[in-house]
Amino acid sequence: VFVPLRSMYFDYKREEYFKKTPIDASYEGLIKKLSSMNIQYHLLDETILAKYGRADGEWLRVGKCAYKYIIFPKTLTMDKNSKKLFDEFYESGGKILFTDGVPVYLEGEECEYALKSNITLEEILQAQPYHVTDISGAIQSAYHIYKGCPFLFAVNTDVHHAGAATFTGGFHSFNCLDL
């Protein structure tokens, strides 16, 4: 998930500090939606992207992590390095989803982007290595591979009611902890 920090400051008004902006609402809404759908994500910051990011075919590599899909909440502007990197990623077959429109500025100046959404949220969900059928609506999960073994962590976010979910994806064992 691209963090639209530059866009958050783009039309910042000090007197409206505590007011939620459309950028804030889009970003928060996207994070909540991905979490509730149990879609795994990392947050991509432009500063880290500039230092460690590179396009590698249909993958965007940032340090030791590789991403096949980049999701943008409402984003008004980004820096030139980010645009160049996303253009290379997109042109090499990388998948991008704009949930709330394509940016319209580059470093604060009007700019027409060639980038368009080329994947849907449903396609990203179906491509995950596991699936959750969350009956209760309160289960969130995280998937990692540690020393070649898949590890799925799931938590019931509702402290007052029991959660109920079905997990599929080739897991061989299950441990339930009541913390």
Side-chain angles (χ1 to χ4, degrees):
V1 173
F2 181 76
V3 178
L5 193 57
R6 289 179 191 276
S7 295
M8 290 175 182
Y9 286 114
F10 187 69
D11 56 3
Y12 171 77
K13 295 175 184 72
R14 184 179 177 145
E15 63 277 4
E16 296 178 3
Y17 178 76
F18 293 105
K19 183 179 176 185
K20 187 182 286 189
T21 69
I23 301 287
D24 298 331
S26 177
Y27 180 62
E28 180 183 337
L30 176 60
I31 296 302
K32 285 181 177 179
K33 184 171 191 168
L34 294 175
S35 295
S36 71
M37 293 176 72
N38 287 281
I39 293 178
Q40 302 303 293
Y41 62 89
H42 285 166
L43 302 176
L44 288 177
D45 170 80
E46 282 190 277
T47 304
I48 300 297
L49 202 55
K51 189 170 184 178
Y52 300 107
R54 65 184 170 86
D56 183 13
E58 62 183 23
W59 295 91
L60 180 68
R61 298 196 184 274
V62 182
K64 294 182 179 181
C65 295
Y67 305 98
K68 198 169 187 173
Y69 314 109
I70 305 300
I71 306 173
F72 286 80
K74 185 172 188 67
T75 302
L76 298 175
T77 189
M78 66 177 72
D79 67 26
K80 289 177 184 173
N81 180 70
S82 296
K83 182 182 181 302
K84 180 179 182 283
L85 196 57
F86 291 129
D87 284 342
E88 290 172 13
F89 171 68
Y90 182 81
E91 290 166 8
S92 297
K95 302 297 182 188
I96 293 179
L97 173 62
F98 291 98
T99 62
D100 207 351
V102 177
V104 293
Y105 297 96
L106 179 63
E107 295 186 349
E109 301 291 328
E110 285 190 17
C111 177
E112 193 165 321
Y113 286 73
L115 302 172
K116 305 284 183 246
S117 291
N118 59 1
I119 193 160
T120 66
L121 202 52
E122 186 60 34
E123 290 170 318
I124 293 171
L125 178 64
Q126 293 306 315
Q128 288 197 132
Y130 76 98
H131 298 281
V132 179
T133 304
D134 183 359
I135 299 161
S136 66
I139 304 296
Q140 293 186 8
S141 63
Y143 176 85
H144 301 283
I145 296 178
Y146 178 71
K147 294 185 178 181
C149 297
F151 175 80
L152 177 66
F153 174 80
V155 63
N156 177 12
T157 59
D158 186 335
V159 296
H160 302 293
H161 301 94
T166 302
F167 298 90
T168 57
F171 297 100
H172 301 292
S173 63
F174 176 79
N175 293 319
C176 183
L177 306 173
D178 185 1
L179 305 173

